[in-house]
Amino acid sequence: MRIGLQVPSFTFPGGPEQIGPAFARVAREADQGGLHSLWVMDHFFQIGMVGPPQDPMLEGYSALAYAAALTERITLGTMVTGVTYRHPGVLVKTVTTLDVLSGGRAWLGIGAAWNDEESRGLGVPFPPTAERFERLEETLRIAHRMWEGDETPFEGDHYTLERPLNSPPALRRPHPPILVGGGGRRRRCGSWRSTPTPATSSTATSCPASWRS
């Protein structure tokens, strides 16, 4: 069994100036304590089950990059990135950068997104559910293509990439592990399989490398 830690809140005593030192302490102690993974939410506002929207919330990949510089062994990921938050090519480049700089410790955590409040608040497009799932499938196809080094054009229903170049490549082989998170009715697509998750989420599903839409 592997145990991971998710940090859902950055409301630490002492106000914003203490967020950096407090989060650094959490990351170092998790790493030194032998935990397998460290996760942050990829949200822009705090979510209702944890606190009010105005509570402090760090941007996920910046927080993970900070944690990467402070740790040596623990793997790092978001639980999980909403597919609408970042263009797929930029997202894969971001995760690859984290993987390279951390020495091969990055995860791609991704889901179909659900928080329309923060999307409306920051002007991030939030399409209907069916379209978000379509975008999720295309994003996973793009991720596999870029991590395989395939630079041929990608033409999907929602995304077009003329040259999905990803250099330098990820260090993790065949690619950083992928965690697909969600809730509600389970949706089967391609060769999904349920696996024990690396952290405490009971609704996450691991997407195998053989996924193809």
Side-chain angles (χ1 to χ4, degrees), residues 6-207:
Q6 184 190 32
V7 180
S9 173
F10 298 99
T11 305
F12 297 115
E17 61 271 17
Q18 292 302 314
I19 292 176
F23 182 56
R25 184 169 60 253
V26 170
R28 287 194 190 101
E29 290 180 358
D31 188 47
Q32 294 167 4
L35 296 188
H36 178 260
S37 54
L38 176 67
W39 304 83
V40 296
M41 295 192 294
D42 194 13
H43 283 290
F44 305 125
F45 295 176
Q46 182 56 276
I47 61 174
M49 66 187 72
V50 178
Q54 63 269 23
D55 275 4
M57 176 55 61
L58 299 183
E59 192 280 320
Y61 289 100
S62 301
L64 292 175
Y66 178 66
L70 299 169
T71 57
E72 297 179 357
R73 294 173 297 275
I74 199 165
T75 60
L76 306 159
T78 62
M79 190 174 290
V80 291
T81 290
V83 71
T84 56
Y85 293 168
R86 296 169 183 83
H87 187 280
V90 175
L91 175 61
V92 174
K93 185 69 176 180
T94 301
V95 175
T96 299
T97 298
L98 178 63
D99 194 66
V100 169
L101 295 182
S102 68
R105 294 187 284 137
W107 285 76
L108 170 60
I110 193 166
W114 61 269
N115 195 333
D116 58 333
E117 179 184 10
E118 64 185 1
S119 295
R120 292 195 312 270
L122 297 184
V124 177
F126 192 79
T129 302
E131 181 179 331
R132 298 200 311 275
F133 273 99
E134 292 169 1
R135 289 177 179 272
L136 175 60
E137 293 184 24
E138 284 193 20
T139 296
L140 288 167
R141 290 169 58 198
I142 291 167
H144 282 295
R145 177 174 294 199
M146 292 178 68
W147 281 328
E148 289 167 358
D150 183 353
E151 298 179 26
T152 58
F154 177 89
E155 185 75 38
D157 292 332
H158 302 287
Y159 302 110
T160 299
L161 286 73
E162 292 186 3
R163 186 189 179 192
L165 172 65
N166 191 38
S167 179
L171 301 185
R172 195 79 169 263
R173 288 288 181 259
H175 55 72
I178 299 171
L179 184 76
V180 177
R185 180 178 62 86
R186 179 171 295 181
R187 186 174 186 274
R188 297 189 65 84
C189 180
S191 53
W192 286 51
R193 58 182 172 84
S194 296
T195 64
T197 65
T200 57
S201 170
S202 61
T203 58
T205 301
S206 178
C207 177

